[in-house]
Amino acid sequence: MSEQSLELAQLRVVIVDDHAMFRAGVRHEIGQHCEVVGEGEDVATAVAVIVETEPDVVLLDVHLPGGGGAEVIKQVLPVKPEVKFLALSVSDAAQDVIGVIRAGARGYVTKSISSEELVEGMARVAGGDAVFSPRLAGFVLDAFSGSVDVASIDEDLDKLSAREREVLKLIARGYSYKEVAKELFISIKTVETHVSSVLRKLQLSNRHQLTKWATDRHLV
């Protein structure tokens, strides 16, 4: 067995995601390379299992019941500062990336990553490196260089409900109201109501300004 394989085999990992089937899939993919010592499905169960098992790396979804991935990090690091977090999410939105990195995650990769890349990423994070999917590294660099006003992003987005954020992203990506309604399983009238609310809260006048606002902040 190579030195790298030996190190991976000794790596202790906790998987945190609110979808049981996804956790099972990740466990299957990485289980032959490292030791999965626990799982969490929401903030409370995640914090409990991480504190109890003290893993080397936590694979952490960003969106979780009970407060999200950033909340897990904020609760764990004060009592277990040696634990490393690698965010693993379907989301590639700037506010999600920046949010968990500011909380203390050592990296962020999307769920399209291959199992080989994920295992390598975990090993690197455990060793103290930072790991990002290529597209996401730019968000972090922009945030720390000051070209993106992170505070204003957080403040503005905090004004919007979770559903309003979903509608915002889809509209900014060019979806029609009918397409948004179909995607989110809501009525066109409800979409119109959400768009009006988003425009009012962000002090924007039309769909074009909304798209530019989202694009300028790397939200789409």
Side-chain angles (χ1 to χ4, degrees), residues 168 198-206 209-211 213-214:
L168 163 67
V198 170
L199 292 175
R200 184 182 71 256
K201 290 179 179 180
L202 298 181
Q203 298 183 333
L204 302 173
S205 301
N206 53 52
Q209 288 182 358
L210 184 152
T211 300
W213 185 93

Side-chain angles (χ1 to χ4, degrees), residues 17 22 61-63 88-93 108-112:
D17 194 283
F22 179 77
D61 193 13
V62 174
H63 300 291
L88 175 63
S89 177
V90 295
S91 171
D92 60 1
Y108 194 118
V109 294
T110 58
K111 289 181 177 177
S112 60

Side-chain angles (χ1 to χ4, degrees), residues 171 175-184 186-188 191:
I171 291 294
Y175 282 53
S176 68
Y177 284 10
K178 183 177 180 180
E179 290 169 332
V180 173
K182 183 178 180 181
E183 181 76 16
L184 299 180
I186 57 179
S187 70
I188 295 177
V191 175

